[in-house]
Amino acid sequence: MNKHIPQSEFKTPEVTTGPLPSSRKTYVAGDQYKDIRVPVREIDLHPSANEPPLPVYDTSGPYTDPEVSIDVEKGLARTRTAWIKKRAGEHGNNIEEYDGREVKPEDNGGASGKHLAREFPVRNRPLRGTGEGPVTQYEFAKAGVVTAEMEFVAIRENLGRKQMLEDAERRVAEGESFGAEIPPFITPEFVRSEIARGRAIIPSNINHPELEPQIIGRNFLVKINANIGNSAVASSVEEEVDKMVWATRWGADNVMDLSTGRNIHNTREWIIRNSPVPIGTVPIYQALEKVNGVAEDLSWEVYRDTLIEQAEQGVDYFTIHAGVRLPFIHLTADRVTGIVSRGGSIMAKWCLAHHRESFLYTHFEEICEIMRRYDVSFSLGDGLRPGSVADANDKAQFAELETLGELTKIAWDHGCQVMIEGPGHVPMHKIKVNMDKQLKTCGEAPFYTLGPLTTDIAPGYDHITSGIGAAMIGWFGTAMLCYVTPKEHLGLPDRDDVKVGVVTYKLAAHAADLAKGHPAAQLRDDALSRARFEFRWEDQFNLSLDPETARDFHDQTLPKEAHKVAHFCSMCGPKFCSMKITAEVRDYAAGMSDNEKKDLEKLSEQGMAEMSEKYKEMGSELYLEEEAVTKANKGL
Amino acid sequence: MNKHIPQSEFKTPEVTTGPLPSSRKTYVAGDQYKDIRVPVREIDLHPSANEPPLPVYDTSGPYTDPEVSIDVEKGLARTRTAWIKKRAGEHGNNIEEYDGREVKPEDNGGASGKHLAREFPVRNRPLRGTGEGPVTQYEFAKAGVVTAEMEFVAIRENLGRKQMLEDAERRVAEGESFGAEIPPFITPEFVRSEIARGRAIIPSNINHPELEPQIIGRNFLVKINANIGNSAVASSVEEEVDKMVWATRWGADNVMDLSTGRNIHNTREWIIRNSPVPIGTVPIYQALEKVNGVAEDLSWEVYRDTLIEQAEQGVDYFTIHAGVRLPFIHLTADRVTGIVSRGGSIMAKWCLAHHRESFLYTHFEEICEIMRRYDVSFSLGDGLRPGSVADANDKAQFAELETLGELTKIAWDHGCQVMIEGPGHVPMHKIKVNMDKQLKTCGEAPFYTLGPLTTDIAPGYDHITSGIGAAMIGWFGTAMLCYVTPKEHLGLPDRDDVKVGVVTYKLAAHAADLAKGHPAAQLRDDALSRARFEFRWEDQFNLSLDPETARDFHDQTLPKEAHKVAHFCSMCGPKFCSMKITAEVRDYAAGMSDNEKKDLEKLSEQGMAEMSEKYKEMGSELYLEEEAVTKANKGL
């Protein structure tokens, strides 16, 4: 074990803790697995609302639970280890604990002395499958076993739905699902069947027992991913751990660590040990660092070793660009922006330098065997995705997608969980065909898209250009949306950018849930709309995705505390308020008899005919009248 | 004339002038109308690009022309007056200049002394049609006359298209237009025919000769509108004039002055006299102020007088909520958010208080006569639009839309230009039916929508929740998108909010143009993508919708001037850059022979089969190999 820990240079990462405004963390126990504790955030409303607290999906982990004391030096509780070991005990003792791979200097890019980030203080012996019997959620699902993780996500997905089903008066959600089939109520068995069909995954490396399981699939809530990671030119371990906690606070369901500089290994360890959400990586980034950034020096051996290194640490999903094949590379030559995926361009360079088929492709089944033993999920990378709207949906992109479809079936045959990455930059009219092709080609494996950006002309606003595409493709069936921050194409996101990116993608994912007709999605919209209509300002803030910003914006115009209960808003002022007038209209209308309503219907039909008649009678008198008024105005 | 001008209290509004980065203002003359000067902004690129300047649509007026000296106290040049008078001379001298209505104290909400905003220093005698012969663009179009305004907008819409048509190598834009028919090249005659069919309008009151004409219709570039305006609780004349100039600087095609407090008349005069874009208003707001905010005290007489007041000032389009009919009001009683349109709720209250049909509806033809004489365009208001996704597409909303369809035909019969306002809050799956219904019901009159917001849970981010809906409905055929700022539902937008709202809606409108297959839209995306791919950072900033923000974001990560020419970016650092690798890949691929390409195709087909074969040969050796590596790593 590495004992060289230069303590003085590295601070303990500071992270944000404490509940969101007016929110309580509650936990729901399982039926089959009594000891699971599924987190739910309940937002309390003002007593005048006369409404129960609104339950919302909670990705923030123990950091928002005041009952839990957080120590980043120790990491989160390793709750899932007991589940995994118990399950293994019931299925042939097919999980072994072992010493694991020794950390090597090149794992941290050769950083040493004060440049070497401090190692995470606790070292756990990794687990792996022995080779026999089920290890992955996919294998258990295929074997008909409902795991604790499956019951956990079933409960998690159901927020408010039970209440809704019991409340007969509520409208049934409508929507256009494009073939998705979200049931009125999610059962653990439904989760199992979706995973067994390959239509959903629960990324959950057996070496990341700290995570709270969540499910990615088009018959579930649309999820989002936030990218963090240091690079050769900026940021530190502390910043990245903070960003991870910060991103989950605002709703990131998954986080990818895309670090590329030095200290990749140690940074990742700190992140995983403290992460309540699945962590994804792109192993080729670290492999490239190990060969000093020279793509042609990459080899299967270096890559393979990196996979094991990261699998032992607990990475939950790997982006593997195995679809960037030698025969496809020249198809990008006429593009406006060539190959923009980092992983894709590395592999393209390797293939051309050696004039050989990609080692990710030729060794794909060996990759499957490794990932299966830790239950690392595949995120089959789209290395040939378009980098501009000009290149969208071209031959190179779709040739790769078809390959990803082939690889999906191989990965399933090996017992692995799989999702598929998608573009990129795509104008609106070309988005849906991406989704349709992916579903067909990849056997409905979950689609995981970056945006797509719907135009290239707004750097600085690419969270929005891509949020448009993300909402649409989420509606069409994408299971997870990878966020884009305002800094995309320009720089590395800071804390504020991470928050804006996460909130933008949460709202896009939610817009998609609504449009798909997710049975419980509209509960939050309706609660917030009622609060808005009734001038419950505090409730409006607290029910929003970002209560701090909502409150801050309100205070900029009407800062006084009294205005938080005022029955008017800054747009119209106290005397002239549509919400207020509407309340009066409603009272009036509520008192109408059925006969009165019928009379009005008749009026509605007659109206225009009568009006025209009347006008004709008046004839050209109008001009005269108008001039008379004009003269009167001028005092003539 | 009002001579009471308390000079000391009111400063001259300060506005932002000067060109955008690397941009030059150029003007294009007409063929038929030699003296028209159509503004075009040309963005100069770095010499290494070896590309001509990129022409872009320019809404900013003379403020970005260093050759023009700006004096807000005098207003902009009244260029169009000569066109209007000449045209009238050719068509029976049917335009008269007259003294106009005297300004009354109630026009400014009874403000006096230091509370009265200073009157605009110059008073012009208004023009109006005498009653005979064509006045409006619609009437001229119907009569087969191509006006100067029509040629102006034709030239303006054509940016880059001539070049594109001449350049045979460029790809033809594809798109899904949903029935829109954008020709390869816009001719003045095409403009005329679209206006004559009621499918497009050029809002251009004959008393707003300062404006640079632009066209709104689904066979043209999608336009955006920015709302400004003071209220009872905040802002001043200076701020509003500044916001108007600021909004047009970033791309607002139209501005609505939604002022509601005191000083409405004087604020509006300052805005119109300095506005290069059409100004819209909601006259019922001012009418309500005139009756001290008591809706039931409104009358046709007060409203009529307000219309004339504003028409004389030069307002280019009026929102008229004539579709809020007595028989529809009770249909809103079960809504989650009732009636949220200010104008709609005022009229609803009036109707119920008097239990009479709306005077806007019963006097609609008189309204037409007034508006026709000044060529004020109708913006038929959607007073019953949904205020939450829960209320989208309900009976009340669509009953009103059908009425707006009836009114459209009446307005056309009276020679008026018409557009139709639309929602509001609509989940994605319910957006398209709004567009389809509007086109059918309103005879393809231009649709002008607010957003729509696709979810209600993100106050503080409603520029984004609505930007999603705006891009989609723009694609489906909406001609103008009314912006929403981050402050929507929370407070009054300040300068920064106006900019964010405008840029968000510009990118949404552009995404719509791309998706519709607008022949020239992608030129800017492609130019920017090339700049991005070639690391021309300055060009990337300058070609973007908001060069300041793009540059600022880049500088936050890589502040040094040298990095602006660096062939790498902050995401990957100098050694590890996908763009750089791709350039190498491209060189390599370009050197391939046809035979080599064929070999690769063969490889592509064989690939997977061979790989599987190879894997089977290796069999279970893999586990052994893996363990050997693990042991080796541990130094065993």
Side-chain angles (χ1 to χ4, degrees), chain A residues 304 335 339 349 361 365 369 455-456 461 487 525 546 556 582 584 586 611 615 623 626, chain B residues 304 335 339 349 361 365 369 373 455-456 461 487 525 546 556 582 584 586 611 615 623 626:
Chain A
R304 184 180 179 287
R335 282 180 161 186
I339 300 176
K349 182 154 183 177
Y361 184 75
E365 301 197 87
E369 289 299 336
T455 165
D456 301 324
Y461 298 78
K487 288 276 171 61
D525 296 77
D546 180 359
Q556 285 175 29
T582 304
E584 293 171 31
R586 185 182 283 183
M611 195 186 81
Y615 182 76
Y623 285 116
E626 186 186 339
Chain B
R304 184 181 178 288
R335 283 181 162 185
I339 301 175
K349 181 153 184 177
Y361 183 76
E365 302 199 83
E369 289 298 337
R373 293 178 74 179
T455 166
D456 300 325
Y461 298 78
K487 289 275 171 62
D525 295 79
D546 179 0
Q556 285 175 28
T582 304
E584 293 172 30
R586 185 182 284 184
M611 196 185 83
Y615 182 76
Y623 284 117
E626 187 184 340

Side-chain angles (χ1 to χ4, degrees), chain B residues 29-66:
Chain B
D31 282 333
Q32 182 178 348
Y33 296 93
K34 307 287 183 198
D35 57 336
I36 63 176
R37 297 176 78 226
V38 182
V40 178
R41 175 158 74 97
E42 295 202 339
I43 304 173
D44 289 321
L45 305 182
H46 191 269
S48 68
N50 199 21
E51 291 183 27
L54 186 86
V56 298
Y57 198 98
D58 186 353
T59 59
S60 63
Y63 298 99
T64 51
D65 185 346

Side-chain angles (χ1 to χ4, degrees), chain B residues 50-297:
Chain B
N50 199 21
E51 291 183 27
L54 186 86
V56 298
Y57 198 98
D58 186 353
T59 59
S60 63
Y63 298 99
T64 51
D65 185 346
E67 307 292 314
V68 177
S69 85
I70 297 294
D71 184 348
V72 179
E73 299 273 333
K74 287 187 182 149
L76 300 178
R78 295 170 65 82
T79 309
R80 245 173 18 97
T81 302
W83 310 356
I84 293 158
K85 288 191 172 167
K86 180 152 182 281
R87 181 158 70 217
E90 292 160 3
H91 294 88
N93 283 314
N94 64 336
I95 298 279
E96 61 179 352
E97 197 176 294
Y98 67 110
D99 280 346
R101 178 185 168 284
E102 197 68 36
V103 178
K104 305 176 196 173
E106 60 263 38
D107 298 349
N108 284 303
S112 62
K114 66 172 186 174
H115 297 296
L116 178 63
R118 178 157 62 99
E119 201 180 347
F120 186 74
V122 185
R123 185 86 187 264
N124 304 289
R125 297 180 79 218
L127 302 177
R128 70 177 166 198
T130 55
E132 298 295 318
V135 179
T136 71
Q137 298 292 327
Y138 180 80
E139 289 172 306
F140 281 112
K142 280 280 191 192
V145 177
V146 170
T147 63
E149 287 85 349
M150 294 175 199
E151 189 180 23
F152 193 103
V153 302
I155 295 168
R156 206 170 188 188
E157 292 282 318
N158 270 327
L159 290 178
R161 264 197 265 199
K162 210 161 194 173
Q163 168 201 330
M164 210 176 163
L165 289 172
E166 284 162 5
D167 184 351
E169 281 193 47
R170 280 189 193 280
R171 97 207 75 202
V172 174
E174 319 150 353
E176 165 55 58
S177 69
F178 298 108
E181 291 165 15
I182 307 172
F185 195 74
I186 302 282
T187 61
E189 170 54 25
F190 178 74
V191 170
R192 187 206 60 74
S193 71
E194 287 292 293
I195 294 173
R197 286 182 64 166
R199 281 210 296 222
I201 66 172
I202 300 179
S204 48
N205 185 324
I206 56 176
N207 291 313
H208 186 195
E210 298 89 350
L211 72 76
E212 295 170 338
Q214 50 93 45
I215 190 160
I216 299 170
R218 77 170 162 139
N219 291 324
F220 302 94
L221 291 159
V222 175
K223 302 301 186 296
I224 71 160
N225 175 78
N227 291 334
I228 61 169
N230 63 1
S231 85
V233 290
S235 77
S236 67
V237 174
E238 290 79 16
E239 281 174 69
E240 299 313 312
V241 173
D242 173 47
K243 273 188 207 166
M244 178 276 293
V245 175
W246 184 242
T248 60
R249 181 175 181 84
W250 298 111
D253 297 286
N254 289 272
V255 167
M256 287 194 81
D257 173 15
L258 302 184
S259 295
T260 59
R262 287 169 167 182
N263 292 314
I264 293 183
H265 182 97
N266 286 0
T267 303
R268 188 168 52 230
E269 187 73 21
W270 281 94
I271 291 171
I272 296 173
R273 296 288 74 80
N274 285 289
S275 176
V277 302
I279 298 295
T281 61
V282 187
I284 199 84
Y285 293 177
Q286 188 180 15
L288 188 73
E289 296 290 333
K290 291 179 181 176
V291 295
N292 299 310
V294 182
E296 45 273 48
D297 289 353

Side-chain angles (χ1 to χ4, degrees), chain A residues 406-425:
Chain A
E406 295 168 13
L407 297 174
T408 299
K409 286 161 194 81
I410 294 172
W412 283 340
D413 285 345
H414 286 265
C416 295
Q417 303 192 85
V418 186
M419 60 181 169
I420 312 291
E421 295 184 10
H425 294 238

